[in-house]
Amino acid sequence: MWTREQMAARAAQELRNGMYVNLGIGIPTLVASQIPADMHVMLHSENGLLGLGDHPVAGAEDADLINAGKQTVTAVRGASFFDSALSFAMIRGGHIDLAILGAMQVSAAGDLANWSIPGQLVKGMGGAMDLVTGALRTVVLTDHVTKAGEPKVVQECQLPLTGAGVVDRIITDRADFDVRRTGLVLTDRAPGVSLQELGELTGADFTVDERADERKQQGVRT
């Protein structure tokens, strides 16, 4: 399977110079350390920071400088600070090019559930509902199955939705899918993961990008 760092590196392939990008809590935060040195990307946090840097080195943390998940972060040159009302105005105004978020479930149609599990205490949805509506593109980073072994990529979400038809790409520790109008398309799979295994662990129908799968079998990176 791909490691979380490898998953983040795959998501970083979405980045382009000049983008404004929001990273969700969990695995998506690792994307900050995968940004190429020669690329200028401004990371946005809904708690009021534009210009997040990588996580600080041990001993250099500033407890007042945090992201939306309350993790300590750094700020890059040119960063700016503001209240959450202005931060959400940026999101709702369509100024975020890319949102990279985690998921509890994501469906074949691109529906996302990532904020609530009935019967369990949660802190709230944060900015997820605004992000999937306001961002120009949404990528999901998630484990392929839950700790109990249940699929997280499903035909239809059973958990409360964050947004319907909002996800463009799903990257798990086992596979990489594009979400298209015709359904899920498998574009890559982790080394050692067979199509049969994916079929058993995925709760949604999907087709295979045959050209990408041929390159995979030949050992060519896709």
Side-chain angles (χ1 to χ4, degrees), residues 1-2 6-7 9-11 13 144 169-180 184-195 198 202 206-222:
M1 294 187 296
W2 288 316
Q6 289 172 319
M7 293 165 63
R10 298 185 72 83
Q13 297 171 3
H144 204 86
R169 182 180 177 188
I170 306 167
I171 301 171
T172 77
D173 51 0
R174 287 179 168 88
D176 197 333
F177 297 98
D178 277 343
V179 182
R180 303 176 186 173
L184 290 183
V185 178
L186 176 68
T187 58
D188 202 0
R189 50 194 167 92
V193 177
S194 68
L195 287 175
L198 276 181
T202 305
F206 62 88
T207 57
V208 180
D209 184 327
E210 297 294 346
R211 291 173 298 175
D213 200 56
E214 287 176 6
R215 293 195 295 270
K216 183 70 177 177
Q217 294 181 33
Q218 296 168 3
V220 179
R221 183 177 178 181
T222 58

Side-chain angles (χ1 to χ4, degrees), residues 130-161:
D130 296 270
L131 284 164
V132 297
T133 302
L136 302 183
R137 182 171 171 83
T138 299
V139 173
V140 160
L141 280 178
T142 182
D143 292 329
H144 204 86
V145 298
T146 67
K147 293 180 180 179
E150 297 295 323
K152 298 182 74 173
V153 181
V154 295
Q155 196 66 28
E156 295 184 5
C157 293
Q158 302 302 312
L159 297 175
L161 290 186

Side-chain angles (χ1 to χ4, degrees), residues 80-167:
S80 57
F81 303 88
F82 33 83
D83 61 30
S84 60
L86 182 56
S87 185
F88 275 81
M90 294 176 183
I91 298 170
R92 294 167 184 168
H95 303 292
I96 303 301
D97 298 295
L98 174 66
I100 303 178
L101 306 174
M104 295 170 182
Q105 286 181 337
V106 58
S107 81
D111 303 335
L112 176 63
N114 77 342
W115 74 277
S116 177
I117 298 178
Q120 294 188 21
L121 180 65
V122 295
K123 295 181 180 179
M125 68 190 70
M129 286 188 177
D130 296 270
L131 284 164
V132 297
T133 302
L136 302 183
R137 182 171 171 83
T138 299
V139 173
V140 160
L141 280 178
T142 182
D143 292 329
H144 204 86
V145 298
T146 67
K147 293 180 180 179
E150 297 295 323
K152 298 182 74 173
V153 181
V154 295
Q155 196 66 28
E156 295 184 5
C157 293
Q158 302 302 312
L159 297 175
L161 290 186
T162 305
V166 294
V167 177

